[in-house]
């Protein structure tokens, strides 16, 4: 009887410990997401969004996937010393607690490379974000221009 009591107590404490830890595993909130429509023969297209971390731990995007592109990368547009602009690959993107990071034209953005097919304007596609502790998939619309330009 005593063993059963302590097993039950230990099991209950384990459940509470796991529940307490689960509250700390938040994913990033994704807002204002859109992909720029590309010509039907394009081999790549760009995507934009805002990540917000409302949690208490930093969240790091370590990978992105989509069924219509061979691979998806995080890029940042940088200006070189000679004034030319280039895309620089970002291997990961960390969003601190309480921070918002915007991926927008002319700055950080997603690049969908080696397209298997080109999603058309008005279509919505699924994009999955690997945020170290979880994978979160979002449905993102394809547009000709930013929602604020409409």
């Amino acid at each position: 009887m005593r063993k059963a009591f302590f097993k039950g107590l230990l099991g209950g404490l384990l459940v509470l410990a796991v529940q307490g830890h689960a509250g700390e595993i938040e994913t990033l909130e994704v807002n204002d997401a859109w992909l720029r429509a590309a010509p039907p023969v394009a081999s790549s297209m760009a995507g934009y969004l805002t990540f917000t971390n409302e949690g208490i731990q930093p969240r790091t995007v370590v990978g992105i996937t989509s069924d219509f592109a061979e691979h998806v990368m995080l890029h940042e547009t940088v200006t070189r010393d000679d004034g030319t602009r280039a895309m620089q690959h970002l291997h990961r993107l960390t969003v601190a607690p309480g921070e918002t990071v915007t991926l927008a034209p002319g700055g950080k953005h997603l690049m969908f490379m080696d397209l298997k097919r080109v999603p058309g304007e008005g279509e919505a596609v699924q994009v999955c974000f690997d945020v170290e502790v979880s994978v979160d998939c979002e449905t993102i619309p394809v547009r000709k221009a930013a929602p604020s330009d409409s």
Side-chain angles (χ1 to χ4, degrees):
M1 173 97 169
R2 193 171 197 188
K3 276 186 177 179
F5 171 77
F6 283 112
K7 281 185 181 179
L9 179 62
L10 183 59
L13 289 173
L14 183 59
V15 167
L16 288 174
V18 170
Q19 286 176 342
H21 182 68
E24 295 177 13
I25 301 177
E26 306 91 1
T27 56
L28 291 177
E29 187 175 315
V30 175
N31 292 301
D32 306 321
W34 65 286
L35 275 59
R36 185 178 303 279
V41 295
S43 62
S44 64
M45 64 191 305
Y48 311 100
L49 54 88
T50 300
F51 286 121
T52 302
N53 182 356
E54 305 231 353
I56 59 171
Q57 298 292 326
R59 303 279 25 115
T60 301
V61 178
V62 295
I64 304 159
T65 58
S66 188
D67 65 349
F68 67 91
E70 284 294 323
H71 56 278
V72 185
M73 299 191 311
L74 283 161
H75 280 174
E76 182 171 21
T77 304
V78 295
T79 303
R80 297 181 178 148
D81 291 339
D82 65 2
T84 59
R85 295 174 63 99
M87 284 191 289
Q88 179 178 341
H89 178 79
L90 303 174
H91 297 278
R92 54 190 336 128
L93 178 68
T94 300
V95 183
E99 182 178 332
T100 295
V101 175
T102 300
L103 280 60
K108 291 179 177 79
H109 57 278
L110 303 175
M111 283 304 298
F112 296 82
M113 310 292 287
D114 300 322
L115 300 179
K116 298 173 190 175
R117 67 177 187 81
V118 180
E121 181 184 4
E123 188 176 341
V125 295
Q126 189 172 67
V127 178
C128 297
F129 301 92
D130 182 348
V131 189
E132 288 184 324
V133 295
S134 66
V135 175
D136 181 36
C137 297
E138 300 286 332
T139 301
I140 300 177
V142 178
R143 305 171 180 266
K144 279 189 180 179
S148 60
D149 294 345
S150 303

